[in-house]
Amino acid sequence: MIRSARRAVELDPLSAIIHTALGDVLFYARRYDEAIALYRKSLELEPGFVAGQSDLARALEHAGRLEEAIPAY
């Protein structure tokens, strides 16, 4: 699953939703730091992207980075 999602990012590197989808796959694999990086990238690509913002907050919380998670929510 991770390989397929990484391939999707390679094919469309400017898509916020695809970065978020890969972030979700990594989040559920408990690879929080990698997921956080992808959620942040999705927000660079599309600053108002709600899914990227909420997923970022959730990943920060699960990573134990509450000081960053609270304002992200």
Side-chain angles (χ1 to χ4, degrees):
M1 187 71 169
I2 293 172
R3 184 178 302 155
S4 298
R6 285 194 195 282
R7 181 68 179 138
V9 169
E10 288 174 13
L11 293 171
D12 193 355
L14 300 178
S15 171
I17 197 163
I18 291 176
H19 279 83
T20 299
L22 175 54
D24 290 344
V25 171
L26 293 167
F27 173 84
Y28 288 111
R30 296 186 174 151
R31 293 165 62 171
Y32 301 125
D33 289 336
E34 292 174 80
I36 289 166
L38 285 156
Y39 296 140
R40 286 192 168 137
K41 179 63 179 178
S42 76
L43 292 169
E44 286 176 26
L45 294 168
E46 193 175 321
F49 188 49
V50 175
Q53 186 66 43
S54 62
D55 289 350
L56 172 61
R58 180 191 62 187
L60 289 165
E61 179 181 359
H62 278 79
R65 295 162 61 177
L66 299 180
E67 293 295 321
E68 294 173 77
I70 290 169
Y73 275 113

